[in-house]
Amino acid sequence: MSDQPQPLRAIAASVLLAVENGQSLSQCLPPALARLPMSERPALQALCYGSCRWFHRLDDELQGRLKKPLRASDRVVHHLMLVALFQLRFSQQASYAVLNETVEACRALDKPHLTGLVNGVLRAAERTGAPEPSTDASRVSHPAWMVEKLRHNWPEDWQAIADANNAQAPMTLRVNALRFSRDEYLALLTEAGIDAVATRFAPNGIQLQQPVPVDRLPWFADGAVSVQDEAAQLCTTVLDLAPGQRVLDACAAPGGKTCAILEACSELAEVVAIDESEARLPRVQENLDRLDLAATLKQADAADIDQWWDGEPFDRILLDVPCSASGVIRRHPDIKLLRRESDIVPLASIQLGLLEAMWSILKPGGRLVYATCSVFPQENHRIIQRFRKQQEAALLMEPEVLWGRDMGPGRQLLPDPNSHDGFFYAVLEKPEA
Ligand SMILES: C[S@@+](CC[C@H](N)C(=O)[O-])C[C@H]1O[C@@H](n2cnc3c(N)ncnc32)[C@H](O)[C@@H]1O
């Protein structure tokens, strides 16, 4: 490959290839962005996110246009054509520029033997326009298994869920209640020329009309606000926090909810934040530092309590388990490429195992909040049902809230294009001994 800086589309194609090979956008995009001047970074980000968001629809079209698949060693050119199709179908870019620059990018990727094919495919795509998607899955641009599962789980809502997954998520803030009231911060935003409204359900939430870089947010570096979706903020509304409690955040990184807990109740005895990921745990400390908050951090498998627990039971436990993240696809469209149907059963078993372990260190009379950012019942209310078959004494609480759907055990929020992500919460209490 030449030493020339790579064209944007060539970089985007390589990022897409990395995602297809199992890396998340949050892993492979930052190094690609770092190679570009600041001015070009938003364009690369938009290409990568957009191409992932519409991957299944565009791939359906591309496969229909190719007489035979490219060789495995030329796979990056397949992705280059997907990036170009994304621009033809979903951007304002002039098509002649898309065609010319994609052919250039093909050369820059050291695939000059494929420039004719790229040119021919894209010319035909421009001439004939977008074809009818061949399946529902390609129409809504999701993997077929996911559409089947959504349709099975949410026969009335699957289409709305898929549409919400393809929409741009709003930018939502959590005002640090220790510093400002929501109204005070809304006034600061108005002064700064940033249009925003209060969130409907989260007491300290503010939704911006347009996303802005965080350094434009008043007092951001000083800990006045954090970026956090409204659904995630709701954890503090069901934890029933009170001064003197010892609280565990069992799967804490990057610490959004740990910080929300500390802001919601300033006189907690202690907050212990655990995460098994060595790479992610420092993010919790960074967030705590910016907000001038303190917690006890431990890197451990939360379920392996012998490894980390000091024997002192917790009054409150937040268990925000690892999950399919099927409720936050609009923020992480690469999930549609990364997740496999076969991931769900092992995830459910990890989730149940974590719940059992956390239950054992909850104080009698204490409360445990189980949370996921999933819309699949297998990870949500069915986990609670399975758990309560073993722990019949576990009391299921039904907090009086205005959000979400009652699932028997727990409440399910579906992703809403105008507000919150998809999320699930269930609240359990341990009877007094
Ligand atoms: C959904 S994320 C947590 C998000 C976090 N609560 C927040 O609001 O910022 C799940 C986290 O669980 C961690 N994790 C997965 N398995 C774990 C385990 N057995 N013990 C502790 N942490 C675990 C992952 O590293 C990941 O950071």
Side-chain angles (χ1 to χ4, degrees):
M1 222 174 283
S2 73
D3 291 337
Q4 291 294 313
Q6 286 229 319
L8 270 193
R9 288 171 187 76
I11 302 177
S14 306
V15 168
L16 221 52
L17 182 64
V19 172
E20 186 176 69
N21 290 334
Q23 284 192 43
S24 68
L25 277 179
S26 53
Q27 287 171 318
C28 60
L29 189 53
L33 289 170
R35 301 207 319 257
L36 288 173
M38 279 290 182
S39 59
E40 292 187 32
R41 293 181 188 179
L44 178 65
Q45 175 130 344
L47 277 184
C48 294
Y49 272 77
S51 303
C52 282
R53 186 164 285 133
W54 295 106
F55 180 93
H56 295 86
R57 163 117 46 111
L58 301 168
D59 199 43
D60 183 45
E61 172 174 353
L62 183 54
Q63 288 187 33
R65 294 189 181 281
L66 291 173
K67 291 202 183 72
K68 57 182 174 74
L70 299 184
R71 284 188 310 202
S73 57
D74 291 330
R75 183 74 182 159
V76 70
V77 176
H78 184 94
H79 289 96
L80 179 65
M81 288 189 276
L82 290 180
V83 171
L85 281 179
F86 164 68
Q87 290 198 296
L88 289 180
R89 302 290 176 242
F90 294 100
S91 84
Q92 305 297 325
Q93 287 267 322
S95 45
Y96 69 87
V98 175
L99 260 69
N100 291 343
E101 288 165 26
T102 305
V103 169
E104 276 314 302
C106 186
R107 278 202 193 93
L109 286 165
D110 246 1
K111 304 286 180 189
H113 58 292
L114 291 173
T115 51
L117 173 84
V118 168
N119 194 34
V121 165
L122 296 182
R123 271 191 197 291
E126 184 201 7
R127 199 174 52 243
T128 58
E132 264 309 296
S134 67
T135 60
D136 271 348
S138 83
R139 183 173 52 77
V140 299
S141 201
H142 281 57
W145 72 265
M146 217 181 252
V147 169
E148 274 319 298
K149 203 170 189 60
L150 288 174
R151 203 200 295 262
H152 177 71
N153 292 151
W154 301 101
E156 309 280 310
D157 304 283
W158 73 271
Q159 176 75 59
I161 296 172
D163 290 346
N165 289 346
N166 290 335
Q168 298 274 353
M171 181 168 176
T172 306
L173 309 178
R174 182 189 76 243
V175 178
N176 180 352
L178 304 174
R179 301 283 180 89
F180 291 103
S181 73
R182 173 159 70 179
D183 284 347
E184 285 166 344
Y185 199 78
L186 275 166
L188 287 175
L189 288 173
T190 306
E191 267 174 41
I194 299 172
D195 286 338
V197 290
T199 50
R200 188 161 158 218
F201 304 121
N204 297 313
I206 289 181
Q207 188 174 308
L208 305 187
Q209 305 292 17
Q210 294 294 331
V212 298
V214 287
D215 55 19
R216 273 200 62 203
L217 297 170
W219 307 106
F220 177 82
D222 300 292
V225 274
S226 302
V227 177
Q228 187 178 43
D229 182 75
E230 181 178 16
Q233 294 184 38
L234 294 171
C235 65
T236 55
T237 68
V238 286
L239 271 165
D240 188 30
L241 298 167
Q245 289 172 346
R246 186 160 193 253
V247 182
L248 171 65
D249 185 355
C251 295
K257 298 186 189 70
T258 315
C259 296
I261 288 169
L262 285 156
E263 289 171 8
C265 187
S266 58
E267 288 167 47
L268 296 169
E270 186 185 18
V271 173
V272 178
I274 295 192
D275 205 279
E276 76 171 357
S277 161
E278 193 178 346
R280 285 166 62 87
L281 196 63
R283 301 273 312 282
V284 184
Q285 192 60 53
E286 283 164 28
N287 281 316
L288 289 166
D289 289 346
R290 184 179 59 82
L291 294 161
D292 197 19
L293 299 168
T296 309
L297 267 50
K298 296 186 193 203
Q299 190 213 328
D301 170 359
D304 187 1
I305 52 178
D306 294 340
Q307 189 197 339
W308 64 268
W309 187 45
D310 63 4
E312 183 71 30
F314 291 92
D315 299 288
R316 296 288 180 266
I317 297 179
L318 174 64
L319 179 55
D320 187 18
V321 287
C323 72
S324 64
S326 53
V328 293
I329 285 175
R330 60 187 190 158
R331 295 189 191 278
H332 304 284
D334 49 335
I335 288 168
K336 294 195 273 194
L337 283 84
L338 295 169
R339 202 63 69 224
R340 301 277 171 265
E341 185 173 16
S342 56
D343 294 341
I344 308 299
V345 167
L347 274 171
S349 129
I350 291 170
Q351 291 155 353
L352 186 60
L354 277 162
L355 179 51
E356 288 163 354
M358 294 308 96
W359 188 253
S360 72
I361 57 174
L362 181 67
K363 204 181 264 183
R367 176 175 280 208
L368 183 151
V369 171
Y370 175 89
T372 76
C373 55
S374 168
V375 295
F376 297 145
Q378 255 173 302
E379 304 180 271
N380 294 346
H381 71 270
R382 296 224 195 100
I383 295 289
I384 306 300
Q385 284 168 337
R386 287 169 66 187
F387 175 70
R388 290 185 73 230
K389 279 207 177 117
Q390 312 161 18
Q391 287 289 344
E392 289 178 358
L395 301 170
L396 180 69
M397 309 307 286
E398 293 183 8
E400 285 191 15
V401 294
L402 296 172
W403 43 264
R405 301 182 183 200
D406 185 1
M407 300 306 293
R411 296 194 80 84
Q412 179 74 55
L413 294 128
L414 297 178
D416 181 331
N418 299 313
S419 59
H420 54 72
D421 289 341
F423 234 84
F424 175 81
Y425 285 107
V427 182
L428 297 167
E429 279 192 9
K430 194 180 245 189
E432 296 285 354

